[in-house]
Amino acid sequence: MDHLGLTVSDLNSSKAFFTDVLGFKVLGNDPTYPAYFLSNKKTTITLWRIKNNEKRVEFNRAENVGLHHLALSVESIEKLSKLHKHLKMQNNITIEFAPENLGKGPAQHMMIREPSGNRIEFIARPI
């Protein structure tokens, strides 16, 4: 995969979530698009603002074709737990579920919605 593009309703809040909370760096931006291009050295993400927020339709993963979720790897179960604690302190995201075993384990994952509502899974796969 070269990169992933996410449509967001609140470009600045979503950018702040990825940069301030998750540590992504801004590679560039295009105010005419408008968009931000971000990277954490493993994954590159384009965030672009929806054109007409009044006509926006929330994604329903059970009824729409499209991106179900973005899964980002976390180095360890301990770091996943720390990330969960940090995310619980944010006021503009929704935690769908806290870290739990993925299947029978030992991998663990959690799911959130970033400020514009896109679903993001964080997963730790112990070696």
Side-chain angles (χ1 to χ4, degrees), residues 3-75:
H3 72 279
L4 176 75
L6 292 176
T7 303
V8 296
S9 57
D10 186 334
L11 185 59
N12 291 326
S13 291
S14 291
K15 178 189 98 40
F17 171 74
F18 278 94
T19 57
D20 299 346
V21 177
L22 299 183
F24 278 70
K25 302 294 182 208
V26 176
L27 299 176
N29 71 316
D30 182 348
T32 64
Y33 196 49
Y36 281 101
F37 311 102
L38 314 172
S39 178
N40 68 357
K41 295 185 181 178
K42 293 180 185 178
T43 304
T44 300
I45 297 176
T46 298
L47 300 176
W48 74 279
R49 190 184 69 210
I50 192 167
K51 291 190 184 294
N52 187 339
N53 204 27
E54 292 177 10
K55 291 185 178 182
R56 107 179 184 201
V57 177
E58 296 293 330
F59 180 76
N60 180 322
R61 66 186 172 93
E63 297 177 7
N64 301 116
V65 173
L67 182 70
H68 185 273
H69 68 278
L70 165 64
L72 297 174
S73 145
V74 178
E75 293 176 9

Side-chain angles (χ1 to χ4, degrees), residues 77 80-81 84-85 95 97-101 108-111:
I77 289 173
L80 182 66
S81 179
H84 175 248
K85 288 176 186 171
I95 296 175
F97 59 86
E100 62 182 28
N101 280 345
Q108 289 192 358
H109 68 148
M110 72 176 175
M111 188 78 71

